[in-house]
Structures are given as C-alpha cells and as structure tokens.
Amino acid sequence: MKFGKKSVVALALTACTVFSLAGCGGGDISEVYPEYADDKAIWIGGWDVPINTLEDYQMAKDMGLTHMFIDNAMAKKGTAEYYKQLEYCEQVGLKAILGSDTALSGAGIGSPENVAIDETDYTVYPAVEMINVWDEPGSDHFGEVATRIEKYYKLYGDLGKTAPTMYVNLDPAYHTSHQSLGQEENIRVYAEKFAEEVLTKVQGRKIISTDIYPLMASPDGSHFSVLSTWLANMETLKEVAVASDAEFMMFIQNYSESNRREVMSKEDLSFQIYTDMAFGINGFSYFTYRQSFLNFGGGCVSKDESCTPLENYYWAKEINAEISAFDHVFLAFEEWKGVMTVNGTNNLENDEEYNNASFILAHPVEMLDCATKVSATEDTIIGQFEDKDGRAGLMVVNFNDPLEHLEDTVSFEFKNANRALVYRNGVRKVYEVKDNKLSLTIDEGEGVFVIPLSL
C-alpha cells in the first residue's frame, strides 16, 4: 500500500465511521481496533509491454502496476531498445520480469544438456527482479526447466552476485508436452510434479503461478458462462503453494478470443480478482496490458498509438487503487484455511437440490471457524484466513457472472462478535454486530474483506 490521496480519504472515512459508531454527540472513543503494519503489498503485473517510451511506461505505473513482463516480442534481446525498456522500468518505479525463450531447437530437444540460457548480467539493471524461466511448460519439460534454473544460479554465482528470483508460469491445461498435446491425469498431479522437480531447485522466494481465464463464450458468441473448473483448480494450486511454502500468483483475463468473451466492465475484472483473493493470491497480472500483437481483443492501452488508454485501463486503475488501499491488511492474514461455498437461497427455493456447477472443491470448508451459520441470497464463496494473533479474516465474494447483475446479501451468525471491520472498495468501515449477527449486501463483481471482532 502506498499513501496517496485515495488512502488519505479512506483513513478519514474510517475515523468518521469509528466516531459515528461511538456516537457523534460527543464523548471519548473507547474502542480500539486492530491495525496492521503497512509492510506488505499485492504485486500487480502486466503482460505485453507498453510502446517503448518513458511516457508509456509512466502510464503503466500510473494504472497501479508494480511489475511488467518483458520478453522478445516488442524489442529483441541484446538491442538498445530492449535495454531501454529496463531503464524505463527503473525510472518510473516498475519491477521487470524478464522472459526466457520457451522453446528448444535441434536434435537434442528435450535433453537438459541442450538447455541454453541468456548469459547477460541483468543485475546491472536495478529494475530486474525476476526471470520468467519458462511459460506454461509441459511436465515432460520440467527437467529442462530445472536445468535452466540451475544454470542461472551458476552464472550469477560465478559473477559473485545473487540471481534474480526464478519464476515459472504453469500450464492451466496441465499438458505433458505441447508437441504431443498429452496431458497429466489432472492439475494436482501436474502441479505436485512441478513442485517436486522444479520448485525444490529454486533458492529463496518460490512462486506458483498460472493463468485461468474464466469468462467463457460459446463459439457463436450467443452464450456466456463461467469456467466450471476455475475454483477447483485454484484450490489445488493454492494447496500445492502452501505445501511448498510458495507465493501464489494468477493472471487475470483482460482479453477475448473465440471461446473467451470480452471484458465488458470493471466488475468483470474485479470478479476475477476478488475470487482469486479468496484463494489467497499474493499477486495478479493482467493478460494483456497492451493490446496483443496476436490480435486478441481487450488490453488496457492501444498497441499502435502511444499514450492511448482504452476503457479497460480506467477500470483496472480503479480496482488496483482499491486493492492497494487494503492489501497490507489482507496479506497480514497469512494462514489460508480454505474456501466455503454457499448456494444462494434464491436458487435453492426453485430447486432444493441446486448446486452451482463451479462448487466442486475437493476440500471445501463446511463451516467457518468463527461462525455457526452462513447464508446468502445468491451463490457466494468465502475464503477463510487467520492472522498471527488467531483473528479470523473472511474474503466474501458474490460468485455470479457480473453479466447477470445479481445483488447478494450474505448473513453471518458468529460465535462471538460484537463488531466487524469490513473493507469494501479499499475503505474500512466498522459495523456493529448485534446478537452475533451481521448481514452485508455485496454488489455484482464485488468482494469484501471481513474481520469479526469481540470487544
């Protein structure tokens, strides 16, 4: 979190809320609420770099990005134009994640000894934080990925320097090989194999990352839906990340193609981000930031015109500011304790056996540790977290396609609470909880972070 104008307003609103709860007619405010150190932040990346000017990179920073993925697509490695991108990142305050070539060539394809690396010393560029060692590798190539990582460590070790963080973005379709199009049995087998064969070779900071783009469209564009495996795969990847003591990063759909619909509103983006936050992500990245040279739809800025934002840019900028206003609080709840799914009463009234097609988690939370009862008018997910003091934190998400325009009312009966801190749109508000009961209205595409308190 960075304290800007929005943060000052948020703090002022918080103070007013606390005062009004205690009574605006005078008297001391006796209640003390937990505060969390502003020493953590969700990192926010962009895929497909801006046009190569300082002004365009500044625009990316102004949208709220913290990281930029940089590969060979817009400027060839080793050229002045490529290094200029790294210099622009440094000047505007962005961190760079450098792409590696993702394919091998020649007769030795698939053999670790044939794995080449970029032997440039990127530590001379302060913006460089990570190397994207491989994008969406098949599991048959994990040995090559591990070899590439080990070669990078040797390169920087021989220079007497610390290597950048080694980052790999996993294949959401869990292929064994993109050449054969074979697949592992499921994403858990794929992810656990990655953790064993690759993450064990990573020194220091470890990251589990993939891209699940859930806003679906039928081939003729007549029907839209939410990818039914989204939540189950998120659960699996988060469980593997926890077991590996790794961070969890997700790409956010900000593009369209034949079977992925257009992002039509801010809520289409926030729906994805808050849902992923229920599974304890540490960061997210927009695919794509710049309009794709592959001619996908979407993007935040024009691929051809310098400093030309699209509508998505302003939506993303607003969401990024909201997340950055309370991310230090969210990340203070370091222990992820699973996700509860709640079928909406409006659906159950029509069909008592109704179950949302996405509610197929392997290990769902049956009941929150801090509550005796939870209900919702529309389908809802609740990520359960705990801070270092054992305090509960709940990421509550209206889990309905924003195109349905459904408002959700979620009701809790807590075990022992008389107050709740609720973070909505980045702003904290204090709610009085009477008889352990609290009801919250959650708009389409929205998520709120709730901390029940007993004072």
Side-chain angles (χ1 to χ4, degrees):
M1 173 180 170
K2 298 293 183 288
F3 282 96
K5 292 181 179 179
K6 181 177 180 66
S7 300
V8 173
V9 172
L11 290 173
L13 286 172
T14 299
C16 180
T17 302
V18 174
F19 185 79
S20 64
L21 181 66
C24 291
D28 295 331
I29 299 173
S30 59
E31 294 183 347
V32 178
Y33 309 116
E35 298 291 342
Y36 294 91
D38 188 10
D39 58 358
K40 299 179 177 69
I42 284 179
W43 53 286
I44 306 174
W47 185 283
D48 279 353
V49 295
I51 290 173
N52 208 7
T53 72
L54 180 61
E55 292 75 17
D56 284 280
Y57 273 84
Q58 184 63 58
M59 178 172 285
K61 178 66 176 179
D62 291 345
M63 194 185 85
L65 296 189
T66 61
H67 290 70
M68 184 64 68
F69 286 83
I70 297 178
D71 53 25
N72 276 318
M74 304 302 173
K76 186 177 180 181
K77 276 190 174 182
T79 64
E81 287 299 300
Y82 184 85
Y83 297 127
K84 192 180 292 183
Q85 296 173 118
L86 309 184
E87 293 166 357
Y88 288 154
C89 282
E90 180 185 358
Q91 290 178 54
V92 303
L94 287 170
K95 293 295 184 183
I97 305 173
L98 305 186
S100 296
D101 296 333
T102 58
L104 301 174
S105 60
I109 188 168
S111 301
E113 61 269 20
N114 288 283
V115 175
I117 62 170
D118 180 350
E119 297 188 357
T120 304
D121 176 13
Y122 286 108
T123 63
V124 300
Y125 294 95
V128 175
E129 181 176 280
M130 306 185 209
I131 293 176
N132 184 10
V133 180
W134 205 296
D135 186 49
E136 299 187 358
S139 57
D140 286 350
H141 293 276
F142 285 164
E144 300 165 73
V145 179
T147 298
R148 181 174 281 176
I149 288 171
E150 290 172 331
K151 287 187 174 183
Y152 274 124
Y153 285 139
K154 185 177 187 306
L155 169 69
Y156 285 96
D158 289 347
L159 294 172
K161 297 182 177 181
T162 300
T165 294
M166 298 293 145
Y167 170 96
V168 180
N169 186 55
L170 299 182
D171 176 13
Y174 44 91
H175 285 102
T176 56
S177 168
H178 289 282
Q179 285 78 25
S180 68
L181 297 182
Q183 289 179 299
E184 291 287 1
E185 179 182 351
N186 54 52
I187 198 167
R188 184 176 295 277
V189 171
Y190 172 88
E192 288 180 344
K193 188 174 289 188
F194 170 78
E196 175 60 30
E197 297 183 16
V198 179
L199 272 190
T200 53
K201 305 296 191 296
V202 173
Q203 302 169 14
R205 184 182 182 188
K206 296 177 172 62
I207 300 168
I208 292 280
S209 168
T210 195
D211 41 282
I212 299 175
Y213 302 132
L215 305 180
M216 308 297 291
S218 61
D220 63 0
S222 64
H223 176 69
F224 300 134
S225 63
V226 174
L227 182 67
S228 61
T229 57
W230 178 19
L231 302 186
N233 287 347
M234 288 291 295
E235 177 192 48
T236 295
L237 293 169
K238 179 60 177 181
E239 289 175 350
V240 173
V242 170
S244 305
D245 193 24
E247 295 178 31
F248 188 23
M249 200 289 291
M250 288 297 300
F251 279 91
I252 300 300
Q253 179 182 338
N254 189 41
Y255 83 109
S256 61
E257 56 173 334
S258 59
N259 64 345
R260 295 296 192 280
R261 72 167 175 84
E262 292 181 15
V263 171
M264 305 179 193
S265 65
K266 172 199 167 188
E267 288 73 26
D268 280 345
L269 295 175
S270 60
F271 173 53
Q272 297 179 70
I273 293 167
Y274 283 119
T275 294
D276 288 352
M277 288 177 72
F279 291 88
I281 59 170
N282 301 87
F284 61 90
S285 294
Y286 292 95
F287 184 88
T288 59
Y289 170 71
R290 181 177 173 182
Q291 281 181 317
S292 176
F293 67 94
L294 296 174
N295 293 318
F296 294 140
C300 292
V301 296
S302 170
K303 65 181 177 182
D304 300 317
E305 299 178 58
S306 178
C307 294
T308 303
L310 307 176
E311 196 168 19
N312 300 42
Y313 177 94
Y314 297 104
W315 296 335
K317 183 176 183 178
E318 184 176 349
I319 297 163
N320 295 343
E322 292 174 7
I323 300 299
S324 296
F326 82 104
D327 55 359
H328 64 294
V329 177
F330 173 74
L331 292 174
F333 288 74
E334 295 184 351
E335 184 178 356
W336 177 76
K337 305 187 74 175
V339 170
M340 181 180 186
T341 59
V342 183
N343 288 302
T345 55
N346 289 338
N347 292 314
L348 292 169
E349 286 173 0
N350 297 323
D351 178 3
E352 62 183 18
E353 296 184 359
Y354 169 86
N355 188 62
N356 186 300
S358 296
F359 291 176
I360 52 174
L361 302 183
H363 307 112
V365 171
E366 298 297 337
M367 181 49 63
L368 302 174
D369 292 345
C370 61
T372 59
K373 184 178 179 180
V374 182
S375 63
T377 57
E378 304 296 342
D379 296 346
T380 303
I381 65 170
I382 304 171
Q384 180 172 230
F385 300 84
E386 189 172 288
D387 71 7
K388 63 181 179 59
D389 298 316
R391 192 177 291 115
L394 309 172
M395 179 55 73
V396 187
V397 184
N398 179 340
F399 191 76
N400 295 276
D401 191 323
L403 291 179
E404 297 180 28
H405 305 297
L406 294 176
E407 184 181 83
D408 185 19
T409 299
V410 184
S411 299
F412 299 91
E413 291 187 21
F414 294 117
K415 291 179 179 178
N416 184 25
N418 61 0
R419 298 288 184 270
L421 306 184
V422 178
Y423 291 82
R424 187 193 302 268
N425 299 328
V427 178
R428 187 181 83 173
K429 181 177 179 180
V430 182
Y431 282 75
E432 184 173 11
V433 178
K434 294 183 177 180
D435 299 322
N436 288 310
K437 296 179 180 180
L438 174 69
S439 290
L440 297 169
T441 298
I442 304 177
D443 292 333
E444 62 190 71
E446 188 175 48
V448 299
F449 192 60
V450 180
I451 307 172
L453 300 173
S454 177
L455 301 177

